Amino acid sequence: MISTFLTISFLATIGSVVAQVGPAAVNLGTAGNYAILAETGITCVPTCVIVGNIGISPASSTFITGLSLILDSSGKFSTSSQVTGEVFAANYAAPTPATLTVAIHDMQTAYTDAMGRTPPNFLNLGSGAIGGLILTPGLYHWNSGVTISSDVTLAGGANDTWIFQVTGTLTMANAVHMTLTGGAVPKNIVWAVAGAVTIGTTSLFQGVILGKTGITLETGATANSRLLAQTAVALQKATVNN
Ligand SMILES: *[C@@H]1O[C@H](CO)[C@@H](O)[C@H](O)[C@H]1NC(C)=O
């Protein structure tokens, strides 16, 4: 029943001007300028590798730990040998505080948008256990947490989109890989998660995380994504590529 519906809607989409399958993109607004954005903390057990800007607000720069920040002479941002980009905090010189306030608001709006989309193409897939599955573009909703305990594949084209709505926690086990095939790109994949997100040791995660709470990358984990958390982001010798 569900697959019949999907086949029809996908063909209709492909028949339009742009060959794109999946829900309309989530607008990240200015939150999309950051690889990591958090409200209460950003912690790193060195060495971390972060490609992209990071920002914290309303908490101050003292709530960023493990990155050995060096404040720029302008007072508007810091740098770190572990960050390929700039580090912004709510206590830095203008216009940084105001810029961050807007970015945090945009992050919250994006979460509300992503979490509010209806109707799902896939409801409670795998009862929340999605290891081993091949996930095609679409809107996914779980009335529970989601666990990824073995490798998982997202299969779709370069313009295809995925939105995953997880009303509980999202937990990826250790040494698990999320693989993209067919040209799928992380920026078109959005995970809206109400509970804590945990990516296990040496695992590989793909897609933008909009976390209502915190996001943790355990030792040696990699996320090809943006980590946008309404509480804190914790990295343990982890890599974040936006
Ligand atoms: C993706 O969209 C762009 C812009 O509409 C288009 O030029 C390109 O051919 C599309 N790519 C695929 C794989 O559909």
Side-chain angles (χ1 to χ4, degrees), residues 18-19 158-159:
V18 177
N159 293 329

Short mmCIF file of all heavy atoms in Angstrom, two decimals, residues 18-19 158-159, ligand 1:
data_model
loop_
_atom_site.label_atom_id
_atom_site.label_comp_id
_atom_site.label_asym_id
_atom_site.label_seq_id
_atom_site.Cartn_x
_atom_site.Cartn_y
_atom_site.Cartn_z
N VAL A 18 12.18 19.64 -12.64
CA VAL A 18 13.43 19.20 -12.03
C VAL A 18 13.26 17.77 -11.53
O VAL A 18 12.28 17.45 -10.86
CB VAL A 18 13.81 20.13 -10.86
CG1 VAL A 18 15.07 19.63 -10.17
CG2 VAL A 18 14.01 21.54 -11.36
N ALA A 19 14.21 16.92 -11.87
CA ALA A 19 14.17 15.54 -11.42
C ALA A 19 14.65 15.48 -9.98
O ALA A 19 15.82 15.33 -9.71
CB ALA A 19 15.03 14.66 -12.31
N ALA A 158 21.63 13.32 -6.80
CA ALA A 158 22.27 14.52 -6.24
C ALA A 158 21.28 15.58 -5.78
O ALA A 158 21.62 16.42 -4.94
CB ALA A 158 23.23 15.12 -7.27
N ASN A 159 20.07 15.57 -6.32
CA ASN A 159 19.07 16.55 -5.91
C ASN A 159 18.00 15.96 -5.00
O ASN A 159 17.08 16.67 -4.59
CB ASN A 159 18.39 17.17 -7.13
CG ASN A 159 19.35 18.01 -7.96
OD1 ASN A 159 20.30 18.60 -7.43
ND2 ASN A 159 19.13 18.05 -9.26
C1 LIG B 1 19.89 18.77 -10.18
O1 LIG B 1 19.31 20.04 -10.34
C2 LIG B 1 20.04 20.91 -11.19
C3 LIG B 1 19.36 22.26 -11.13
O2 LIG B 1 17.99 22.14 -11.35
C4 LIG B 1 20.10 20.31 -12.58
O3 LIG B 1 20.85 21.14 -13.43
C5 LIG B 1 20.74 18.92 -12.52
O4 LIG B 1 20.70 18.30 -13.76
C6 LIG B 1 20.03 18.05 -11.51
N1 LIG B 1 20.75 16.81 -11.33
C7 LIG B 1 20.17 15.63 -11.35
C8 LIG B 1 21.05 14.45 -11.12
O5 LIG B 1 18.96 15.48 -11.50
#
